[in-house]
Amino acid sequence: MTYNSVAEIYDSLEQARARLRRSVEGLTPEQERFKPDSARWSIAELVEHIAASETSLLGLFRKMLARAEAERLRREEGAPFAPVSLERFAERSRQKFEAPEMIRPAGDVPIADSLARLEQSSAELRGLRAGFETFDCSRLRFPHPAFGPLDLYEWLAFNGAHEARHVAQIRALRSELPAAS
């Protein structure tokens, strides 16, 4: 997908969050923790990981936006927004990756707690929107452990793509769940 504005990226983030909420509705505590094998995360662990990842990204966003302000990287009035796309990562995104330690799930967090954490981080992310719109975030880069340097707009779009990837995993895992008792 190609994004032609910060607003489009934010709309995509909101849509990804709505899909996440729908994907975990109606699960019993046993279904939340179900793992078809020891090598896979449970649905609760996937949601915990998404929450940890977004919290980590918020720290990056705050730091980089503060840098943009300090370096006076304001977007020029009326300057066109350079389209943002993650298509160049599409092939690699199908691979299995090892999550960095700081965003690996502990495995004991109920989905409701992770969703509450995500609601808080979503509110913080919405609060950063003006910074993404004010500054030229294409000039700010930070390395992704698997994809290399991403600019800040790509990181913002990545947040939604990352969530969408795990929602697909949740849906697949739901098809393997034992019936609720």
Side-chain angles (χ1 to χ4, degrees):
M1 170 162 207
T2 299
Y3 303 96
N4 295 300
S5 67
V6 171
E8 284 184 12
I9 299 173
Y10 268 84
D11 288 345
S12 177
L13 292 172
E14 288 178 24
Q15 292 167 13
R17 187 57 44 84
R19 285 190 298 274
L20 173 64
R21 279 190 220 96
R22 286 191 304 270
S23 76
V24 298
E25 285 178 345
L27 294 172
T28 66
E30 294 77 24
Q31 290 172 324
E32 288 184 11
R33 293 187 304 271
F34 173 75
K35 292 168 93 166
D37 61 67
S38 63
R40 292 169 61 191
W41 288 346
S42 68
I43 294 173
E45 288 171 323
L46 287 164
V47 179
E48 180 185 356
H49 165 71
I50 293 166
S53 178
E54 184 163 281
T55 299
S56 177
L57 283 175
L58 278 168
L60 172 67
F61 295 156
R62 285 190 294 268
K63 178 181 173 183
M64 298 297 272
L65 289 170
R67 184 175 134 201
E69 186 170 17
E71 293 179 14
R72 297 188 174 114
L73 299 179
R74 291 193 172 274
R75 286 176 42 88
E76 295 202 21
E77 183 101 15
F81 183 85
V84 174
S85 174
L86 300 178
E87 290 302 315
R88 64 188 170 134
F89 307 112
E91 186 63 34
R92 292 213 53 221
S93 69
R94 293 180 186 91
Q95 298 173 354
K96 182 170 173 53
F97 295 102
E98 185 74 26
E101 182 66 35
M102 66 188 222
I103 59 172
R104 283 190 202 140
D108 57 354
V109 179
I111 287 177
D113 292 355
S114 293
L115 289 175
R117 184 176 176 190
L118 283 165
E119 287 306 311
Q120 180 181 353
S121 62
S122 289
E124 289 181 51
L125 192 55
R126 284 189 297 275
L128 297 177
R129 181 173 173 167
F132 281 100
E133 292 173 331
T134 300
F135 298 106
D136 181 359
C137 296
S138 66
R139 296 172 56 191
L140 300 167
R141 294 193 167 285
F142 192 82
H144 182 279
F147 302 122
L150 302 180
D151 73 34
L152 208 53
Y153 295 126
E154 289 172 324
W155 270 109
L156 186 61
F158 169 80
N159 188 42
H162 174 255
E163 190 163 322
R165 173 187 169 119
H166 289 305
V167 167
Q169 292 171 338
I170 290 168
R171 289 180 177 152
L173 192 50
R174 278 193 80 130
S175 71
E176 299 178 51
L177 291 175
S181 49

